[in-house]
Amino acid sequence: YQRRVHGGLYELFKDTYMNLAGEHNACNYTGPIWLAASASAEFFADMALCPMEMVKVKVQTSPKGTFPTDFSPALAQMSANRATTGFPFGSVVPLWSRQIPYTMAKFFFFERVVQLFYSHVFTQPKNSYSKGTQLGITFASGYIAGVICAIVSHPADTLVSLKGKPANVGKSYGEIASKFGYGNLFTKGLGTRILMIGTLTGLQWWIYDSFKTAFGMGTTGGKMICHCSKCEH
């Protein structure tokens, strides 16, 4: 659900910011526009995700038998105890801290890595490569973007999980981070997260481009080509 909201908002904000920037600036500052659009979209999409995320984390981190595992009872208990759980938006700030950098990295670095592949490695015209090769480039670019996403979002993701544990009820995020150790926030479990997020992100882009290819739209990205009337390239 959150991903559908984010996808639609991303396209909306990207189009809005490109129109506000004007043709020339939109041509020369595509990177900042991607970053701004993805950050804006994630900001609002996370508000839709936050209540469900809080329920999920509470179910996952509560000792067996101390909290409902079915969705409806868990949601009801979180709502009834909102004074202590902070439901429904008590985790929105760390969620923003985790998801906004993640999404910005995901879109920006995927687009950039695809451009680098086609500019410096696969330098022939894009259409000269088979669909299998193009989809391989898509997966590799998505995997690299996923590794970066995992690194930038890991500390906040760890903090959100720690917040849901019963031992940390009532504690501020600063207190939890200090006790857990700031170094651990950045490194503990990072290897597993890199492997998981890298693979998942690569597959997400591969599925997306496979769908586009099946409908004759081609894969995402290519060499940097500016269509601005003021540019000569």
Side-chain angles (χ1 to χ4, degrees):
Y1 169 71
Q2 187 254 2
R3 291 272 72 102
R4 291 195 295 270
V5 172
H6 171 261
L9 289 175
Y10 173 73
E11 295 298 334
L12 174 64
F13 280 115
K14 183 172 69 172
D15 185 64
T16 299
Y17 294 156
M18 289 181 70
N19 288 334
L20 288 173
E23 183 184 30
H24 183 62
N25 287 329
C27 172
N28 288 281
Y29 298 99
T30 54
I33 289 173
W34 293 337
L35 291 171
S38 58
S40 300
E42 195 66 43
F43 179 88
F44 291 102
D46 285 346
M47 296 178 73
L49 173 68
C50 188
M52 303 303 102
E53 179 74 6
M54 291 185 70
V55 173
K56 183 197 76 172
V57 170
K58 186 66 175 177
V59 169
Q60 291 176 338
T61 58
S62 295
K64 187 176 181 179
T66 63
F67 193 80
T69 56
D70 291 335
F71 175 73
S72 294
L75 180 65
Q77 187 160 328
M78 285 287 288
S79 182
N81 297 318
R82 63 179 62 209
T84 57
T85 61
F87 188 80
F89 298 113
S91 294
V92 73
V93 173
L95 192 60
W96 282 331
S97 300
R98 179 187 71 182
Q99 290 298 122
I100 290 177
Y102 174 91
T103 300
M104 292 171 71
K106 177 179 177 179
F107 279 86
F108 179 84
F109 285 105
F110 173 76
E111 296 280 4
R112 282 291 184 249
V113 171
V114 169
Q115 287 180 355
L116 289 173
F117 269 128
Y118 282 112
S119 297
H120 302 288
V121 181
F122 299 89
T123 56
Q124 298 300 314
K126 181 180 176 181
N127 290 337
S128 68
Y129 296 104
S130 67
K131 295 303 180 184
T133 299
Q134 292 183 38
L135 289 172
I137 294 169
T138 291
F139 177 81
S141 301
Y143 190 93
I144 293 170
V147 170
I148 299 171
C149 291
I151 293 171
V152 301
S153 64
H154 186 66
D157 188 58
T158 301
L159 198 56
V160 169
S161 296
L162 290 170
K163 179 67 172 177
K165 293 185 175 181
N168 292 323
V169 172
K171 294 182 181 179
S172 68
Y173 287 104
E175 291 173 332
I176 296 171
S178 179
K179 183 177 180 180
F180 188 70
Y182 289 100
N184 287 333
L185 282 178
F186 282 89
T187 60
K188 192 170 183 179
L190 180 59
T192 302
R193 183 175 175 81
I194 284 175
L195 179 63
M196 180 183 70
I197 298 299
T199 303
L200 287 175
T201 304
L203 286 173
Q204 284 176 346
W205 283 111
W206 183 86
I207 292 170
Y208 176 69
D209 271 0
S210 294
F211 178 84
K212 288 176 63 180
T213 300
F215 284 87
M217 294 181 283
T219 57
T220 302
K223 290 183 180 180
M224 182 64 175
I225 300 175
C226 181
H227 299 287
C228 173
S229 59
K230 295 183 180 180
C231 295
E232 299 179 354
H233 56 284

